Amino acid sequence: MTGITYEDFLDLDYEPVASDLVCTFTVQPASDMDMDAAASRVASESSNGTWAELQVDGTITDLSATAFGIDGNTVQVAYPEELFEAGNMPQVLSCIAGNIMGMKAVDRIRLEDCEWPEGLVTSFMGPQFGSAVRNDIFDAGERPITATVPKPKVGLSTDQHVQVGYEAWTGGLDLLKDDENLTDQSFNRFDERLTESLAARDDAQDETGEKKSYLINVTADANTMLERVDRVAEEGCEYVMVDVVTCGWAAVQAVRERCEKHGLAIHAHRAMHAAFDRVPTQGVSMRVIAQISRLCGADQLHTGTADLGKLANEDTVGINEWLYGDLYGTNDVLPMASGGLHPGLVPELVKRVGTNIGVQAGGGVHGHPDGTHAGAKAFRQAVDATVEGTSLEEYAEDHPELKVAIDKWGTETPR
Ligand SMILES: O=C(COP(=O)(O)O)[C@H](O)[C@H](O)COP(=O)(O)O
Ligand SMILES: [Mg+2]
């Protein structure tokens, strides 16, 4: 490597080969650097280079990345596949989204998109079910599957939580979901909640004749998570929920492997994603976070509401298309729309993102003037009306729960 400097990582004529991982970055160079120099430093620092001209003798495998496409502030970088350890997402991210995120050669840098080569993709487990959960686990046909998260997020006792679940399931929803910050706290213990919720789930299934399931949040340190996954399988549930960003991709990969053994699906909550993707000039895009989630094996992933709900969303439509798209035979991912949804928003949501989704509402179910059971009915009615192509106003004429919900919220976007 003697005499190699970071300028050697730029080749504007380079044409990537099929085995390269190609990443697209938005880069704002430091004030004393031009774009070519900044792009070379990105390719250098994220592969095998550093700031200094090295004086290291001997034969060393060349794992240099190449910055090759510069267009305004967009830079493409191609990485040779030998740079990466197969099936090791933390290692991949330590390259392509590691030191470069804080490097002084750039004022701002954002990883926008990746083109993943086949060898790297197939070294990961990918989703076990993906959108097939709609009919492998449920019998939802072409309609979106439906879920609710009890509110308040935390503070309900186990008995209260289970009662909310029972009312939601019997009101017509498919899934009860824990909130992202509910795990195993003193007021609502994991083991008790698991057992009692599944007993209520069984009752709700008997009463309604519909399949029901529970997204219990197993998020914890990796060892504890694996124990929780085993418990969930023993108790006869079909899913676990994981806060994939806060617990980290290594832990998600460990959970995915254990879920293979049990035939459990993974619901991925993305709490903290906005720390990486909300600033448009810095970080890692939600698109890339979604790609990582698919490779690591999430079956369902929150991707937002196409701007209809309470939270900022980045390109829900484009990300969902990527999650459904062909990826060397890897299963797809079912996008979950959530965050400030209520019955009145369902028709426009389906218009924007289609029916191959999950729809999830917390406040939009438990804030119904007549309570959770009526709220669940109203949310399911909104989904059924939308799928059969009937307007909510017309459907509400003989569905009083829906009528109360649309009288209360109309089509408002909550804050
Ligand atoms: O608890 C909720 C929604 O509750 P409510 O329905 O009361 O707003 C989820 O945590 C958000 O969907 C997360 O956001 P996103 O889905 O965008 O990751
Ligand atoms: Mg939540």
Side-chain angles (χ1 to χ4, degrees):
M1 298 261 309
T2 304
I4 300 267
T5 66
Y6 66 77
E7 282 89 356
D8 295 308
F9 294 79
L10 180 76
D11 177 359
L12 296 175
D13 296 326
Y14 181 76
E15 286 187 13
V17 294
S19 59
D20 285 346
L21 168 60
V22 177
C23 295
T24 304
F25 296 93
T26 304
V27 172
Q28 285 177 23
S31 53
D32 58 348
M33 280 226 170
D34 65 21
M35 194 57 172
D36 285 3
S40 322
R41 276 295 288 129
V42 170
S44 146
E45 188 68 36
S46 57
S47 58
N48 63 349
T50 187
W51 61 276
E53 187 172 326
L54 297 179
Q55 306 298 327
V56 180
D57 294 330
T59 309
I60 296 168
T61 310
D62 183 10
L63 299 173
S64 304
T66 307
F68 66 95
I70 299 181
D71 181 9
N73 286 95
T74 301
V75 175
Q76 285 187 292
V77 179
Y79 297 88
E81 66 176 340
E82 299 80 12
L83 178 62
F84 303 113
E85 179 182 343
N88 183 340
M89 189 54 77
Q91 189 272 338
V92 173
L93 293 177
S94 293
C95 296
I96 65 173
N99 290 0
I100 52 173
M101 291 291 147
M103 196 170 60
K104 287 182 179 169
V106 294
D107 276 351
R108 293 280 184 271
I109 178 167
R110 190 172 198 256
L111 175 57
E112 302 283 3
D113 198 4
C114 299
E115 286 167 46
W116 301 89
E118 182 171 10
L120 197 54
V121 168
T122 54
S123 72
F124 289 93
M125 293 184 83
Q128 196 174 176
F129 302 92
S131 68
V133 293
R134 291 202 299 161
N135 289 298
D136 281 3
I137 295 176
F138 302 101
D139 189 14
E142 289 306 302
R143 72 165 168 84
I145 59 169
T146 55
T148 190
V149 51
K151 298 285 172 178
K153 286 170 181 268
V154 284
L156 295 175
S157 68
T158 304
D159 285 352
Q160 289 169 316
H161 197 275
V162 170
Q163 182 62 25
V164 168
Y166 175 75
E167 288 178 22
W169 281 316
T170 53
L173 302 186
D174 302 307
L175 282 160
L176 172 69
K177 178 185 130 356
D178 285 353
D179 227 322
E180 67 282 351
N181 55 354
L182 177 67
T183 53
D184 181 36
Q185 290 111 305
S186 58
F187 54 86
N188 192 340
R189 288 291 175 200
F190 180 91
D191 284 344
E192 208 179 311
R193 188 168 77 254
L194 173 65
T195 315
E196 293 181 17
S197 297
L198 291 176
R201 184 277 304 260
D202 293 346
D203 291 344
Q205 279 183 172
D206 290 346
E207 267 177 54
T208 60
E210 284 188 337
K211 179 72 194 157
K212 308 287 177 185
S213 195
Y214 177 28
L215 307 174
I216 186 161
N217 188 1
V218 299
T219 303
D221 66 89
N223 290 333
T224 305
M225 264 203 287
L226 295 180
E227 284 168 20
R228 289 181 185 168
V229 171
D230 291 343
R231 291 262 308 112
V232 171
E234 273 163 32
E235 294 291 325
C237 193
E238 293 78 9
Y239 281 95
V240 292
M241 166 177 152
V242 181
D243 295 338
V244 290
V245 180
T246 57
C247 84
W249 302 108
V252 176
Q253 289 193 256
V255 166
R256 170 64 183 91
E257 205 172 320
R258 190 64 66 95
C259 285
E260 179 80 17
K261 177 174 136 197
H262 295 309
L264 285 173
I266 298 173
H267 176 89
H269 194 292
R270 60 175 179 165
M272 202 181 169
H273 73 95
F276 296 91
D277 65 33
R278 191 168 187 185
V279 177
T281 52
Q282 176 71 35
V284 178
S285 69
M286 183 58 210
R287 184 180 184 84
V288 172
I289 292 172
Q291 294 172 348
I292 296 164
S293 303
R294 183 173 178 184
L295 294 178
C296 290
D299 295 286
Q300 301 180 179
L301 172 69
H302 287 237
T303 62
T305 56
D307 284 331
L308 289 165
K310 72 179 182 187
L311 298 166
N313 290 163
E314 176 187 338
D315 190 22
T316 303
V317 172
I319 291 169
N320 290 1
E321 273 166 16
W322 190 92
L323 290 174
Y324 302 133
D326 185 45
L327 189 67
Y328 306 109
T330 303
N331 283 335
D332 66 357
V333 177
L334 184 73
M336 293 295 295
S338 172
L341 289 182
H342 57 76
L345 294 174
V346 170
E348 181 60 26
L349 176 73
V350 166
K351 199 165 144 195
R352 293 186 190 186
V353 300
T355 55
N356 192 13
I357 54 169
V359 290
Q360 209 271 141
V365 165
H366 314 294
H368 189 286
D370 299 319
T372 293
H373 189 68
K377 282 178 135 179
F379 198 48
R380 173 68 184 268
Q381 288 161 2
V383 168
D384 289 345
T386 302
V387 170
E388 72 170 50
T390 305
S391 74
L392 296 194
E393 290 66 30
E394 192 184 333
Y395 207 79
E397 284 168 16
D398 49 5
H399 293 88
E401 297 84 5
L402 181 60
K403 172 136 185 38
V404 171
I406 46 181
D407 284 349
K408 181 172 175 64
W409 290 308
T411 55
E412 79 184 45
T413 289
R415 285 263 156 198

